[in-house]
Amino acid sequence: MRVNLFKTLQDGYQKNLGKTSIETPTGETWSFAELDELSARFAGLLRAKGVKPGDRVVVQIDKSPGGVGLYLGVLRIGAVFVPLNIAYTPNEVEYFLSNARPSLFVCQPGSLDALSEIAQAANVPAIAPLGTSSDAGLWREALDTAPDDAIEMRDETDVAAIVYTSGTTGRSKGAMLSHRALISNTHMLHELWEFEPDDVLIHALPIFHVHGLFFALHTSLLNASTMLFHPGFDAAAVRKEMPRATILMGVPTYYSRLLSLDGFGKEDCKSMRLFVSGSAPLTAQASEEWTEATGHAILERYGMSEAGVITSNPYNGERLPGTVGYAMPGTEVKICDTDGAALPAGSVGSIEIRGPNLFNGYWEMPEKTAQEVREDGFFITGDLGELSEDGRLKIVGRSKDLIISGGYNIYPKEIESVLDDVEGVKESAVVGVPHADVGEGVVAVLVAEADEIETTTLQTALDDNLARFKHPRRFYWLSELPRNTMGKVQKNKLREQFETAYSD
Ligand code: MCA
Ligand code: AMP
């Protein structure tokens, strides 16, 4: 079957071209007609630059309507959109460029010089800047290019986007998301969360991750409804938008920060109809506090880059705090033992899933894919959970070595590798411990070759190699790391020993 995710979204807004699609905090607006035309101009520009169907376009840019136009342009021509967190350092970007082998790399204007060398070294044929204003770089070039309305139809299993999700072994893996997976998840969310024509979504999430790029953006485009498009999350700015909005999608930190605003409560949320939380655990207590203060029950859902939204609390029905609801239509969720055998309801085990929302596998990593996707098509999520008799899922932990801070994934291995390379560090172990604001904070526990190393030396190594959100802000030295009989570092013991690192 020939499809294109862009065509699906365009069919959704085609009858409402005059409506506002994007409004920025400075009051600039883009109607659906204007956004559609911008995407057609980007399509013309990309084709003129020789970008072909199936080619990867790696993008590391600040959030802007131009960035949305570029994304839709890449989809239109059947190329593959590869978004990168703007916090990634040049060293991290180098890995992504050599792994994805794009025909075009689009970066922030300020990084063009530094990244041009890296792009050249990675044999990337073309690099171009795209900033947040339309008077320069690729956005300007697109405006000077005639719109090219042709949409490249694709096989439904063809890849529309590659989203990198770090691997527990330290190297990121590119989750290949097909047109079909993205189209099916978008339709399901649109239906399940009962989108209405007059909806207005406050979009404060980054658009280099699945939550903001797919769940929030795709549903609003399909629904032909307006997005109040913020460059990032600022609690006061989001509060100001609420009286004229109906939906907020966010990570738990969004909700705890809103609640900490003076006098925040029911009055602020009068016109809102839906608060969605995901990407990180929302404690039952935090959910109940929100309901107490606002009269609204947050709808928590569970998702992954590899699978989009997997389960969701009901729109109509009990949104049970501390649970992530029921499997999306067509998606199977089971709790398994380590061999993949399903366990009875009420058991805690490994969450495994199968469905049309699932990715195609990891880009050029068939062995990693085979490790995580069973012969029968079930994907081993690396999360631990429990299913109730009626199929409601509770996430109780992770079997993968993963820290989630502010909704961003952090894999300890990446940080341990950087720290272990510092002169005088014998070994290190990185763990996540409770952090009131971002959920989990990163802690590094180190063993010195001889004398302890200055923290500033460690921080310099981290600054050079890793995005800031991954950096430990607490460092501890031990004479040795606790190990089990197999010689594996007992991270749970470290989590216990340093669990008050961010609350002392
Ligand atoms: C931050 N802090 C930390 C760490 N990171 N402490 C220890 N270890 C860390 N790793 C603490 C520090 O004190 C830091 O201050 C302070 O928190 C603020 O951190 P910062 O990142 O600067 O805050 P922010 O810039 O305000 O960002 C918070 C945020 C942002 C707005 C919640 O994280 C955000 O937008 N998150 C959304 C991410 C997202 O889109 N996730 C979806 C992924 P200092 O830096 O001075 O020390 S997709 C996904 O997960 C799946 C598909 C799904 O289901 O959605
Ligand atoms: P990512 O790799 O960025 O797609 O992040 C996916 C991971 O985020 C999942 O494997 C879970 O560990 C975590 N996650 C997503 N939604 C939730 C949620 N509602 N509750 C707990 N963890 C979640």
Side-chain angles (χ1 to χ4, degrees):
M1 189 177 156
R2 308 294 286 173
V3 297
N4 187 310
L5 167 64
F6 173 79
K7 180 79 175 61
T8 301
L9 302 175
Q10 187 187 56
D11 289 347
Y13 63 70
Q14 196 62 36
K15 296 188 185 63
N16 291 280
L17 291 172
K19 269 185 81 174
T20 298
S21 170
I22 287 177
E23 180 179 329
T24 66
T26 53
E28 282 184 286
T29 61
W30 277 261
S31 67
F32 284 96
E34 288 164 328
L35 186 62
D36 189 271
E37 184 191 276
L38 181 62
S39 72
R41 292 181 185 278
F42 270 107
L45 180 61
L46 292 165
R47 285 187 169 121
K49 287 181 175 290
V51 179
K52 301 267 177 302
D55 281 6
R56 277 77 58 208
V57 176
V58 172
V59 176
Q60 185 187 36
I61 56 173
D62 294 308
K63 183 178 175 182
S64 75
V68 175
L70 170 65
Y71 168 54
L72 297 176
V74 170
L75 292 178
R76 285 185 92 122
I77 68 169
V80 178
F81 191 76
V82 187
L84 296 183
N85 188 324
I86 50 172
Y88 289 149
T89 62
N91 278 0
E92 292 166 296
V93 171
E94 185 171 8
Y95 166 75
F96 295 116
L97 292 177
S98 29
N99 182 265
R101 298 195 323 284
S103 53
L104 172 65
F105 173 41
V106 184
C107 69
Q108 297 159 304
S111 315
L112 187 62
D113 293 346
L115 293 175
S116 291
E117 281 165 49
I118 289 195
Q120 205 163 23
N123 298 317
V124 176
I127 179 169
L130 190 140
T132 52
S133 78
S134 59
D135 55 12
L138 219 58
W139 195 345
R140 174 74 264 158
E141 281 187 62
L143 293 176
D144 295 339
T145 305
D148 179 345
D149 289 324
I151 299 172
E152 182 76 24
M153 299 311 275
R154 307 288 284 152
D155 182 279
E156 59 178 7
T157 59
D158 282 339
V159 180
I162 293 176
V163 177
Y164 278 95
T165 173
S166 303
T168 42
T169 53
R171 270 302 177 208
S172 283
K173 305 168 289 186
M176 296 185 285
L177 299 160
S178 67
H179 286 268
R180 175 179 60 190
L182 297 175
I183 289 169
S184 77
N185 213 234
T186 303
H187 277 309
M188 282 180 210
L189 296 181
H190 186 260
E191 202 178 311
L192 212 64
W193 295 345
E194 304 201 359
F195 274 77
E196 298 162 4
D198 298 338
D199 269 328
V200 175
L201 177 136
I202 302 171
H203 194 306
L205 288 157
I207 54 172
F208 47 72
H209 273 310
V210 169
H211 196 160
L213 181 64
F214 299 156
F215 308 159
L217 180 68
H218 291 172
T219 47
S220 298
L221 292 175
L222 184 74
N223 190 52
S225 49
T226 301
M227 289 176 281
L228 302 179
F229 205 67
H230 286 219
F233 176 78
D234 173 278
V238 166
R239 178 185 194 175
K240 244 174 71 204
E241 302 281 28
M242 284 183 170
R244 60 193 189 112
T246 61
I247 304 175
L248 173 65
M249 290 188 195
V251 296
T253 304
Y254 287 18
Y255 296 103
S256 55
R257 288 192 183 178
L258 283 164
L259 272 189
S260 66
L261 296 175
D262 274 350
F264 182 85
K266 287 187 175 55
E267 196 51 31
D268 292 290
C269 304
K270 256 192 355 251
S271 73
M272 297 293 287
R273 74 170 180 87
L274 179 60
F275 293 100
V276 179
S277 178
S279 311
L282 176 74
T283 62
Q285 184 196 334
S287 184
E288 285 150 5
E289 278 170 14
W290 180 269
T291 303
E292 180 65 30
T294 67
H296 283 264
I298 290 175
L299 185 153
E300 190 178 4
R301 79 332 170 260
Y302 163 49
M304 286 186 82
S305 299
E306 292 91 336
V309 173
I310 299 161
T311 70
S312 169
N313 266 283
Y315 184 73
N316 297 306
E318 193 187 6
R319 300 174 191 173
L320 188 59
T323 79
V324 288
Y326 299 93
M328 299 291 279
T331 297
E332 297 164 270
V333 174
K334 59 181 185 178
I335 303 297
C336 303
D337 64 18
T338 45
D339 303 330
L343 299 171
S347 321
V348 172
S350 158
I351 301 172
E352 296 195 13
I353 62 172
R354 182 169 66 180
N357 49 318
L358 217 45
F359 69 141
N360 287 4
Y362 296 114
W363 169 257
E364 302 200 331
M365 290 185 181
E367 69 291 340
K368 281 255 184 287
T369 304
Q371 280 167 7
E372 298 185 22
V373 184
R374 296 186 188 284
E375 293 285 309
D376 60 5
F378 272 91
F379 170 56
I380 306 165
T381 63
D383 293 305
L384 302 175
E386 177 187 340
L387 275 175
S388 66
E389 287 295 344
D390 71 338
R392 183 184 281 276
L393 180 66
K394 188 188 288 186
I395 296 179
V396 299
R398 288 171 215 131
S399 54
K400 54 196 170 188
D401 199 7
L402 164 70
I403 299 164
I404 303 185
S405 172
Y408 286 122
N409 284 4
I410 298 166
Y411 285 82
K413 191 84 187 94
E414 273 192 300
I415 303 152
E416 290 158 0
S417 308
V418 170
L419 294 175
D420 292 350
D421 278 354
V422 174
E423 185 72 31
V425 172
K426 183 172 179 219
E427 60 176 340
S428 64
V430 167
V431 293
V433 298
H435 186 293
D437 181 22
V438 290
E440 290 182 285
V442 181
V443 164
V445 184
L446 304 104
V447 176
E449 295 286 6
D451 305 326
E452 292 181 8
I453 316 292
E454 287 297 318
T455 303
T456 47
T457 308
L458 303 174
Q459 284 165 335
T460 304
L462 292 163
D463 285 341
D464 292 349
N465 289 285
L466 294 176
R468 170 139 184 82
F469 72 87
K470 301 178 183 173
H471 295 188
R473 269 69 158 189
R474 299 285 187 280
F475 299 88
Y476 300 97
W477 295 89
L478 295 181
S479 54
E480 60 176 8
L481 295 176
R483 282 186 152 83
N484 64 16
T485 48
M486 309 280 282
K488 199 167 166 2
V489 174
Q490 294 174 300
K491 290 202 168 181
N492 53 335
K493 284 196 172 167
L494 294 175
R495 274 189 281 272
E496 267 166 49
Q497 186 175 352
F498 300 107
E499 72 172 341
T500 59
Y502 289 98
S503 47
D504 282 347

